[in-house]
C-alpha cells in the first residue's frame, strides 16, 4: 500500500464534510461506549479531552476535573467546551441543540457521540494521544489526520 494511502483514507471520511457521522441519540450504536459513559462518564470525557488537547491534558487529569465539577453539578461547563472544540476541528454543525444544552441535558448522549465521531474519523480515544500518534506512524500518516495545520500548538 502506498504510504500516504492510509492517511488519505482517514482524512476523507465516507460521510459529507461538515456533518456528524452519527446522531446525538445513537447512543446504543456502540453499546460498550454507551455503558462506559453512563456508569463512568469521567473516563470517556478524559479520553476525549486527551485527544482534542493533543496530549497536553492527560485523560487522568481531565477525569479528575470532571469528577471535581460533578460534585457541584457543573460538568456541562467543562464538557460543552470540548464539544465546541471538536465541532471546530471537523467543521460540524451545532445541531440538533447547542453544545451547552447537549451537555447540560443529555451529557451521556453528547459524550458518546463525540467518542464515536473521533473513532469514525480514525482516532481511538482509548489509546490516548501518544498511542494514536504511534498508530498513525505505523499506517504511514505523516500528520494526525484530523487537525488542520492552523490548529497546531
Amino acid at each position: 500500500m502506498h504510504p500516504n494511502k492510509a492517511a488519505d483514507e482517514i482524512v476523507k471520511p465516507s460521510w459529507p464534510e461538515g456533518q456528524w457521522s452519527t446522531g446525538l441519540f445513537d447512543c446504543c450504536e456502540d453499546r460498550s461506549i454507551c455503558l462506559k459513559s453512563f456508569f463512568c462518564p469521567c473516563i470517556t470525557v478524559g479520553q476525549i479531552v486527551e485527544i482534542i488537547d493533543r496530549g497536553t491534558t492527560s485523560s487522568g487529569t481531565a477525569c479528575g476535573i470532571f469528577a471535581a465539577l460533578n460534585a457541584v453539578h457543573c460538568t456541562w461547563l467543562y464538557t460543552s467546551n470540548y464539544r465546541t472544540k471538536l465541532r471546530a476541528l471537523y467543521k460540524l454543525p451545532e445541531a440538533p441543540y447547542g453544545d451547552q444544552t447537549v451537555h447540560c441535558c443529555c451529557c451521556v448522549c453528547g459524550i458518546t457521540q463525540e467518542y464515536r465521531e473521533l473513532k469514525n474519523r480514525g482516532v481511538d480515544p482509548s489509546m490516548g494521544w501518544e498511542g494514536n500518534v504511534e498508530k498513525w506512524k505505523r499506517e504511514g500518516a505523516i500528520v494526525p489526520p484530523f487537525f488542520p495545520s492552523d490548529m497546531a500548538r
Side-chain angles (χ1 to χ4, degrees):
M1 180 186 331
H2 186 271
N4 290 330
K5 185 168 175 42
D8 291 342
E9 289 172 1
I10 294 170
V11 172
K12 296 176 184 171
S14 59
W15 52 90
E17 185 177 331
Q19 288 185 4
W20 290 92
S21 60
T22 62
L24 177 62
F25 302 110
D26 292 340
C27 301
C28 291
E29 194 169 287
D30 185 335
R31 289 191 178 129
S32 64
I33 297 306
C34 182
L35 290 171
K36 179 172 73 171
S37 299
F38 183 78
F39 290 107
C40 298
C42 61
I43 293 172
T44 306
V45 168
Q47 293 172 341
I48 292 167
V49 168
E50 182 173 346
I51 297 299
I52 293 174
D53 279 351
R54 301 180 71 154
T56 60
T57 304
S58 73
S59 62
T61 299
C63 184
I65 292 169
F66 182 90
L69 289 171
N70 193 38
V72 292
H73 307 289
C74 291
T75 56
W76 62 273
L77 292 169
Y78 185 61
T79 56
S80 64
N81 183 42
Y82 282 94
R83 184 175 180 87
T84 302
K85 289 180 180 184
L86 178 71
R87 284 189 319 91
L89 291 172
Y90 294 124
K91 298 177 178 65
L92 300 171
E94 190 172 12
Y97 309 104
D99 298 340
Q100 291 182 344
T101 301
V102 167
H103 280 274
C104 186
C105 299
C106 348
C107 186
V108 172
C109 294
I111 61 177
T112 58
Q113 182 187 35
E114 294 152 22
Y115 193 99
R116 287 190 314 271
E117 194 67 33
L118 289 169
K119 283 193 80 165
N120 291 342
R121 293 182 184 262
V123 182
D124 183 353
S126 68
M127 293 173 60
W129 176 254
E130 291 300 322
N132 278 284
V133 169
E134 289 301 315
K135 179 183 84 162
W136 296 322
K137 285 179 184 176
R138 284 191 309 272
E139 293 173 351
I142 297 169
V143 295
F146 60 95
F147 291 103
S149 60
D150 62 333
M151 293 296 290
R153 291 182 183 210

